[in-house]
Amino acid sequence: MNAVNDCATITAEMNVTPMLDVLLVLLVIVILAALPINVIDVQLPADGEHGDDHDPIVLLVQRNGAYALNGVPLDSLQLPERLHDIYRGRRAEPLFVQAEVRVNYNAVMHAMDVARGAGVQVLAAMPKQSSAR
């Protein structure tokens, strides 16, 4: 009789653990899908094309963390001020960004962010110089 009384007290309940697992996975997917993606629109010029009659403004990102703007060495503190001075009157002129071999990607992105903050509206990647001339 004891076994019959134990069976009578058993209740049927739904196991919600698998449902919660599925909901948590869906929540993670929705959060990852909603994250913003940083995209920078870069224009690649054709060979020999620089737009205006002005000499192109070239920012070289160096491996040692320094920069060179049209061949003039700058450190990271001088770069925003110098770019702001150059682009004060000509915001639509492109800034050609060039990097030395094996430069960290973050250093190039940081230089582009600094340029945008200094008022540069058009960023362009400097094409590789062909060795056969």
Side-chain angles (χ1 to χ4, degrees):
M1 286 263 188
N2 222 359
V4 174
N5 287 340
D6 287 341
C7 289
T9 60
I10 295 176
T11 58
E13 292 182 13
M14 186 169 96
N15 188 1
V16 295
T17 304
M19 184 176 64
L20 290 176
D21 290 343
V22 170
L23 287 175
L24 287 174
V25 168
L26 289 175
L27 179 66
V28 168
I29 290 172
V30 168
I31 289 173
L32 290 176
L35 288 176
I37 298 174
N38 293 332
V39 176
I40 293 181
D41 184 26
V42 177
Q43 299 173 0
L44 292 172
D47 284 340
E49 176 186 331
H50 295 298
D52 297 338
D53 294 336
H54 300 109
D55 288 333
I57 302 170
V58 180
L59 173 63
L60 175 65
V61 182
Q62 299 172 341
R63 279 180 287 190
N64 61 1
Y67 304 99
L69 193 60
N70 285 348
V72 178
L74 299 170
D75 62 19
S76 60
L77 298 175
Q78 297 170 325
L79 181 64
E81 180 181 332
R82 184 70 181 120
L83 285 173
H84 184 71
D85 290 344
I86 290 173
Y87 280 92
R88 183 172 293 139
R90 47 182 166 170
R91 296 197 183 278
E93 191 169 337
L95 173 67
F96 292 93
V97 179
Q98 186 177 21
E100 287 184 346
V101 178
R102 301 196 197 289
V103 169
N104 189 340
Y105 176 77
N106 289 334
V108 177
M109 293 305 295
H110 175 71
M112 291 177 152
D113 287 341
V114 167
R116 288 279 187 188
V120 178
Q121 292 179 353
V122 180
L123 291 170
M126 191 71 172
K128 267 188 177 178
Q129 301 295 331
S130 61
S131 59
R133 284 199 177 209

